[in-house]
Amino acid sequence: MVAALPCEHNASSFPVIQTTVKRYSPNWCCCTDCTLQLLQEFLHVNGPVLQLPKNITSISTATTIIHLAAPELQIILDPLLYLRLLPHSQGIPKLIHMTMKDKNQLAPHQILSVLSWGRFNKGYTLLLYDNDDIERYMQQYFPGFMPSECGTCRACGRQC
């Protein structure tokens, strides 16, 4: 476990992490900055080159940070194209599907999440989906479940 230092910040916006951190290190402050610092140290993402941005960042900056921290990690930003081109091999492909609201605007905790899944699942490929990808998938494969112009689902008749 990473050594924890006391801090005098406000309460964290990460309640699950806050509970876990306090269980293992009761003196650790659980503000957002300290929580991100703890996660960065745990994932070995520290040093001047690998500083996480404080605010929302673009996917190009995020992938640069992730590839500096875990160069072996393969991230796919167009999962629908990748899945169509994926060769049918023997067995189950090593894929991790991750969703987020907008992959072009990532928060620091999302970058750490992608990094942690890649770090602890070596040899897997991470496919990042956002709301636009999911909508394209549904329109392509399940168009009957998409809302019509009047806001009613074509398949079940419920209001969407």
Side-chain angles (χ1 to χ4, degrees):
M1 184 67 186
V2 177
L5 301 172
C7 177
E8 298 298 327
H9 293 107
N10 296 326
S12 173
S13 58
F14 301 112
V16 174
I17 295 172
Q18 180 177 357
T19 304
T20 305
V21 169
K22 283 188 175 180
R23 183 180 317 135
Y24 293 107
S25 185
N27 294 330
W28 182 262
C29 170
C30 290
C31 69
T32 301
D33 288 340
C34 291
T35 302
L36 288 175
Q37 179 185 347
L38 179 68
L39 289 172
Q40 281 182 261
E41 291 174 9
F42 177 71
L43 293 169
H44 308 292
V45 185
N46 41 22
V49 176
L50 298 175
Q51 289 298 315
L52 285 176
K54 293 283 184 189
N55 299 315
I56 302 297
T57 187
S58 70
I59 190 66
S60 61
T61 303
T63 53
T64 301
I65 292 168
I66 291 166
H67 283 295
L68 285 171
E72 71 285 349
L73 179 59
Q74 183 179 6
I75 300 174
I76 305 298
L77 300 177
D78 190 351
L80 301 179
L81 176 63
Y82 181 80
L83 291 173
R84 276 193 301 254
L85 301 176
L86 184 68
H88 297 288
S89 62
Q90 307 293 343
I92 299 171
K94 292 185 170 190
L95 301 174
I96 297 173
H97 303 267
M98 296 186 75
T99 63
M100 53 198 59
K101 188 173 187 173
D102 184 358
K103 64 185 168 196
N104 295 313
Q105 296 183 0
L106 297 174
H109 71 276
Q110 291 173 309
I111 297 170
L112 287 173
S113 176
V114 169
L115 185 58
S116 68
W117 275 96
R119 278 270 177 97
F120 296 116
N121 296 282
K122 300 233 186 273
Y124 280 73
T125 300
L126 269 69
L127 284 79
L128 297 181
Y129 298 84
D130 62 8
N131 288 355
D132 293 338
D133 293 326
I134 294 168
E135 186 172 330
R136 279 192 352 238
Y137 179 85
M138 291 298 293
Q139 287 174 347
Q140 184 174 354
Y141 296 104
F142 302 100
F145 288 94
M146 295 300 293
S148 64
E149 292 75 32
C150 66
T152 304
C153 178
R154 294 182 194 115
C156 66
R158 284 194 273 166
Q159 286 292 106
C160 297

